[in-house]
């Protein structure tokens, strides 16, 4: 089983790894586009106004542009430790120990607008590029990623169950045949349900933790649902979709 996480806009700074080496990342089929995007971001960083426009940044966020300028020379950290935010706080991968930590390392992956797909251990620098970013004079990222990323994900999905926890913008970068997709809804006392926005990430983080660390090896949506329920979550199955139901 592979658990595919969304990235986060916020990322930890620093790291103690060597500067970025694309040839050391998983899925080498993606390296040509990875290298192109890195080059484009480094070049774009020389123009602050253009960077702000393309990356939807304010002047107060110019440090993000500096990160992009240093993409090829900055220190790196494992992808699973680079990303921060609500989902990653709920996942809390650093608190896992022993076999659970080893299972998490093997199962967790991250969808990235810059790198396409990352293993938990892939060493990457801090950067700024979201799925909705539009680099000057270039097609949208979904149009660029789909032809190269979809075959990679299809190959993975043919061998293992993929649980896709990406948000809509990142899911648009590449479709995954047969993946288990997850929604989160809040249920009111009268039975009325609404989609969860902010806390959606926290509940997906909890689910990711349960799936990453379980001794079980779910190979279908029923197995994923069973793992979630053992973790105390209320879930419902709908074909290849799983709905996490929380109290409003």
């Amino acid at each position: 089983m592979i658990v595919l996480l969304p990235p986060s806009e916020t990322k930890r700074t620093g790291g103690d790894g060597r500067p970025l080496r694309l040839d050391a990342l998983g899925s080498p089929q993606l390296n040509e586009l990875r290298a192109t995007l890195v080059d484009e971001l480094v070049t774009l960083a020389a123009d602050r106004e253009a960077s702000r426009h393309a990356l939807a940044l304010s002047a107060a966020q110019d440090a993000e542009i500096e990160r992009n300028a240093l993409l090829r020379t900055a220190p790196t950290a494992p992808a699973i430790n680079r990303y921060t935010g609500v989902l990653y706080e709920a996942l809390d991968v650093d608190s896992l120990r022993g076999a659970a930590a080893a299972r998490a390392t093997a199962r967790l992956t991250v969808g990235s607008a810059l790198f396409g797909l990352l293993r938990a251990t892939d060493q990457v620098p801090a950067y700024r590029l979201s799925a909705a970013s539009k680099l000057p004079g270039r097609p949208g990222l979904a149009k660029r990623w789909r032809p190269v990323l979809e075959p990679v994900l299809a190959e993975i999905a043919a061998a293992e169950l993929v649980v896709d926890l990406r948000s809509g913008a990142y899911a648009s970068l590449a479709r995954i045949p047969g993946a288990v997709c997850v929604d989160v809804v809040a249920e009111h006392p009268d039975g009325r349900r609404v989609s969860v926005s902010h806390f959606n990430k926290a509940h997906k983080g909890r689910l990711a933790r349960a799936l990453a660390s379980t001794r079980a090896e779910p190979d279908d949506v029923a197995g994923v649902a069973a793992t979630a329920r053992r973790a105390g979550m209320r879930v419902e199955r709908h074909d290849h979709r799983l709905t996490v139901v929380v109290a409003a």
Side-chain angles (χ1 to χ4, degrees), residues 134-159:
K134 181 69 165 57
L135 299 180
R138 303 294 185 183
L141 289 171
K143 187 172 183 179
R144 301 177 75 179
W145 271 120
R146 280 178 192 158
V148 292
L149 184 55
E150 284 191 347
V152 169
L153 290 172
E155 184 176 350
I156 292 171

Side-chain angles (χ1 to χ4, degrees), residues 42-234:
V42 171
T43 299
L44 181 63
D47 186 333
R48 287 180 182 261
E49 285 300 328
S51 291
R52 291 171 187 162
H53 179 73
L55 305 175
L57 299 173
S58 69
Q61 296 174 293
D62 279 356
E64 301 282 357
I65 301 172
E66 295 300 327
R67 289 182 176 187
N68 285 351
L70 301 174
L71 272 171
R72 291 201 175 274
T73 58
T76 58
I80 200 61
N81 300 122
R82 176 62 73 193
Y83 299 99
T84 62
V86 174
L87 185 150
Y88 288 87
E89 289 171 3
L91 171 60
D92 193 17
V93 72
D94 287 338
S95 68
L96 297 175
R97 297 288 182 269
R103 286 191 289 269
T105 296
R107 291 170 177 169
L108 293 172
T109 59
V110 182
S112 164
L114 179 54
F115 299 108
L117 180 69
L118 292 167
R119 299 171 300 190
T121 54
D122 280 337
Q123 296 275 340
V124 293
Y127 65 92
R128 182 61 177 247
L129 184 70
S130 69
S133 298
K134 181 69 165 57
L135 299 180
R138 303 294 185 183
L141 289 171
K143 187 172 183 179
R144 301 177 75 179
W145 271 120
R146 280 178 192 158
V148 292
L149 184 55
E150 284 191 347
V152 169
L153 290 172
E155 184 176 350
I156 292 171
E160 299 185 76
L161 178 70
V162 176
V163 180
D164 187 359
L165 300 181
R166 296 174 299 169
S167 58
Y170 285 92
S172 73
L173 298 182
R175 296 157 294 191
I176 311 173
V180 176
C181 298
V182 178
D183 303 307
V184 181
V185 299
E187 186 175 78
H188 290 265
D190 61 4
R192 180 172 51 89
R193 291 182 173 184
V194 295
S195 296
V196 174
S197 53
H198 178 72
F199 291 108
N200 172 21
K201 296 178 181 179
H203 294 294
K204 284 187 175 180
R206 287 180 57 210
L207 177 60
R209 181 180 177 87
L211 294 173
S213 59
T214 181
R215 293 187 181 90
E217 290 288 348
D219 58 6
D220 57 19
V221 66
V224 174
T227 298
R229 290 178 183 126
R230 284 195 296 272
M233 305 181 77
R234 178 185 169 194

